Amino acid sequence: MYLENLLADAHKVLEKNWKDGFTIPTHNLYPFQWNWDSGFICLGHQYKDLGRAIQELNALFSGQWENGLLPHIIFHSENEKTYFPNFDFWESNVNPGAPHRPKSSGITQPAVHGFILENLWRNHPEDENFKAFIKEIFSKIVHYHRFLYQYRDPQQEGLMCIFHPWESGRDNSPLWDESLNRIHIKAGELPHYQRRDTSIADPSERPTSDQYDRYVYLLLLGKKYQYDGKEIMAESPFLVQDDMMNAILIKSNQSLINIGKQFGFDVGEIEEWQQQSLRSFREKCWNAELQMYTAFDLRGGKQICEKEIGGLIPIFAGIPEMEQASLLNEYLNNLHNRRYYLCPSFDVDSPKYDSKRYWRGPIWPHMNWMIYHGLEQYGFQETANIVKLDTLKLVNSLGFYEYFEPQKEKAEQLKTGYGGDVFSWTASSIIDFFHKE
Ligand code: DGY
């Protein structure tokens, strides 16, 4: 049966990318440990070897800083040369609280670890090793959330913000265009650097060089202030309360509360964060005209009015009222009826849509995993099933790629997906979707 073969192949992907203690997203393009990738990767490890999921998270948190920051890349090896910006460009030790080893980047990524931990625990409720692991890791995840609320919430409203598009995980989303365009780089202002990604993946599927210059500019701004200084919030031209990252934080807060109550940990602080975050998110991030959630440009003082995949993730965190959830469900059904695979990462009717360029249109399997669970929670089982089946069809016909073509006619002409191949979270999403069948 082809599903069995696909599952076996998915496990082979994880095996291939396992590096003695953690899993790389894919060879060459991303040869270290990435923060939110690792979270999703645990979903796939848990069915064959729960111990690997524990090792994965331990390896990730070995890079946690004293201030609580959980970096977006952990450079367990200092010998890999295929990636820019490498550890020597980030120089994480400009911050005295960064571990000397492993080296890391100085920015973060979506806080998925709380909900991943709950998922693993619910699937293995009686595993004594896992219970012991929860007791160790719980306070580290809370410390990370505390970092987000202390260092990244300048207006103390319960909504964390980012100062670099890489933190959102959706590097070149059109959401960031206007903020990035505020950055004017003078000749000679940036040090010389060489991109590596465009010699590994097709450049037309990657961010542009103008965008890369701005990524480097913001990296250097962070470094100037040891990556956690208040001056970053004051100076950065890019300062955004991302709807997806805040929805994920809210989801993980709730998971920590659920776990903490069961294990008898004090969850008072998390409950306080949660109340304020939920209230502010509902007030600030819904856009009635778009009928969708939006990110908030804190520097520009306004919502970023685009239909983008991050606007669907609140359904996964249980944030919408039923009426709002129905509108999100309708949005997806409409795309399905127009012969798009679900869920394109950007508004297919926008001139900024680009079906093959990274986060400007393509479908991402781990995003589908979150949206599937959100739809299911609200009772939209039919749409949820379409999301799951579309993911299966794309991966089965085009391979374990990083992202995929949304337009059905176009996808049928293709032989592969886009971006990196043999991709870990694509495999994990498939494993978790279908392991019981
Ligand atoms: C990359 O290098 O493209 C990553 O997304 C940044 O972490």
Side-chain angles (χ1 to χ4, degrees):
M1 196 208 152
Y2 82 95
L3 196 52
E4 274 163 27
N5 294 341
L6 194 72
L7 272 175
D9 288 348
H11 283 292
K12 279 186 207 148
V13 169
L14 291 189
E15 192 58 49
K16 182 158 186 220
N17 290 344
W18 175 252
K19 288 269 172 193
D20 198 20
F22 69 97
T23 316
I24 56 170
T26 179
H27 282 264
N28 298 330
L29 192 56
Y30 307 126
F32 307 104
Q33 186 175 30
W34 257 260
N35 179 327
W36 73 321
D37 287 73
S38 267
F40 285 102
I41 286 164
C42 289
L43 296 176
H45 282 316
Q46 65 175 321
Y47 301 108
K48 274 223 156 146
D49 187 350
L50 184 60
R52 280 201 177 174
I54 294 177
Q55 285 186 64
E56 184 81 41
L57 289 172
N58 275 335
L60 184 65
F61 277 84
S62 73
Q64 185 168 30
W65 293 15
E66 270 171 27
N67 62 13
L69 171 82
L70 191 63
H72 98 297
I73 305 174
I74 312 293
F75 299 101
H76 293 291
S77 146
E78 291 170 25
N79 303 320
E80 290 286 347
K81 301 286 181 235
T82 61
Y83 184 74
F84 173 84
N86 214 322
F87 70 95
D88 48 353
F89 199 86
W90 283 100
E91 295 183 292
S92 49
N93 291 117
V94 294
N95 188 303
H100 187 62
R101 286 225 156 66
K103 302 265 191 271
S104 62
S105 68
I107 57 171
T108 192
Q109 263 186 341
V112 298
H113 321 87
F115 77 73
I116 293 290
L117 192 71
E118 186 179 16
N119 176 295
L120 303 178
W121 170 55
R122 298 229 180 258
N123 284 332
H124 307 274
E126 302 306 333
D127 191 295
E128 290 303 326
N129 269 344
F130 199 73
K131 283 190 203 160
F133 171 66
I134 289 181
K135 289 180 188 152
E136 277 167 32
I137 196 98
F138 187 86
S139 59
K140 297 180 186 172
I141 303 179
V142 176
H143 189 36
Y144 172 41
H145 287 204
R146 195 177 295 119
F147 166 84
L148 298 173
Y149 286 110
Q150 276 183 355
Y151 287 83
R152 296 303 191 85
D153 185 9
Q155 298 180 355
Q156 292 293 291
E157 53 188 331
L159 296 176
M160 61 147 307
C161 70
I162 54 175
F163 73 88
H164 199 300
W166 283 342
E167 299 200 289
S168 74
R170 311 193 306 295
D171 306 4
N172 70 338
S173 167
L175 292 187
W176 322 134
D177 288 1
E178 192 180 330
S179 298
L180 290 178
N181 285 341
R182 287 186 198 124
I183 302 173
H184 301 287
I185 299 170
K186 297 181 210 85
E189 193 181 356
L190 294 181
H192 173 74
Y193 70 90
Q194 194 186 346
R195 281 179 74 173
R196 302 283 173 180
D197 59 316
T198 39
S199 52
I200 298 166
D202 181 341
S204 69
E205 295 166 17
R206 297 285 305 170
T208 63
S209 49
D210 273 357
Q211 282 161 347
Y212 247 77
D213 277 353
R214 282 157 182 77
Y215 299 156
V216 170
Y217 176 94
L218 291 170
L219 185 166
L220 295 173
L221 174 75
K223 183 158 43 171
K224 185 161 99 181
Y225 298 116
Q226 296 79 44
Y227 297 111
D228 67 358
K230 292 228 175 331
E231 298 89 337
I232 301 173
M233 301 290 109
E235 259 183 45
S236 179
F238 184 100
L239 206 64
V240 175
Q241 290 166 320
D242 177 25
D243 47 355
M244 184 194 83
M245 290 190 79
N246 278 288
I248 285 179
L249 180 61
I250 287 171
K251 175 76 178 173
S252 282
N253 276 340
Q254 192 54 51
S255 289
L256 291 178
I257 293 169
N258 299 344
I259 295 170
K261 283 193 171 157
Q262 197 70 28
F263 280 73
F265 306 145
D266 182 1
V267 294
E269 183 187 20
I270 313 171
E271 285 181 322
E272 271 177 36
W273 294 334
Q274 187 71 332
Q275 264 186 13
Q276 200 198 10
S277 294
L278 273 167
R279 195 176 47 243
S280 296
F281 193 100
R282 289 178 175 137
E283 275 170 23
K284 208 170 177 183
C285 299
W286 176 255
N287 184 302
E289 210 171 301
L290 281 185
Q291 304 189 330
M292 191 171 273
Y293 291 94
T294 59
F296 194 90
D297 173 2
L298 210 47
R299 185 56 74 228
K302 57 179 182 352
Q303 287 185 333
I304 303 174
C305 295
E306 301 282 7
K307 291 185 182 174
E308 186 267 345
I309 192 145
L312 299 172
I313 301 303
I315 202 171
F316 174 58
I319 294 171
E321 301 292 338
M322 198 57 197
E323 199 186 323
Q324 294 166 322
S326 305
L327 292 169
L328 301 179
N329 179 52
E330 254 172 57
Y331 168 77
L332 289 175
N333 271 313
N334 183 26
L335 284 167
H336 172 70
N337 294 335
R338 291 171 59 195
R339 296 197 46 75
Y340 284 96
Y341 283 118
L342 298 183
C343 306
S345 51
F346 196 67
D347 181 358
V348 300
D349 297 315
S350 162
K352 298 174 196 159
Y353 172 75
D354 181 341
S355 76
K356 63 193 288 204
R357 204 182 272 278
Y358 214 35
W359 286 96
R360 300 181 82 87
I363 291 170
W364 292 73
H366 69 295
M367 299 298 285
N368 279 5
W369 184 92
M370 289 190 280
I371 294 165
Y372 169 85
H373 287 287
L375 290 166
E376 195 174 48
Q377 245 163 251
Y378 279 81
F380 300 119
Q381 194 60 53
E382 224 173 287
T383 321
N385 289 343
I386 295 170
V387 171
K388 183 163 153 178
L389 215 64
D390 281 0
T391 317
L392 173 72
K393 280 186 203 157
L394 285 165
V395 175
N396 187 52
S397 55
L398 300 175
F400 286 92
Y401 276 82
E402 190 177 3
Y403 40 99
F404 296 90
E405 171 61 45
Q407 218 184 326
K408 286 192 176 162
E409 276 71 26
K410 214 166 153 189
E412 276 151 24
Q413 308 298 315
L414 296 174
K415 295 207 163 42
T416 66
Y418 299 138
D421 190 7
V422 194
F423 215 86
S424 295
W425 67 14
T426 303
S428 278
S429 304
I430 291 292
I431 294 171
D432 194 70
F433 267 150
F434 296 102
H435 78 279
K436 288 189 189 116
E437 293 165 23

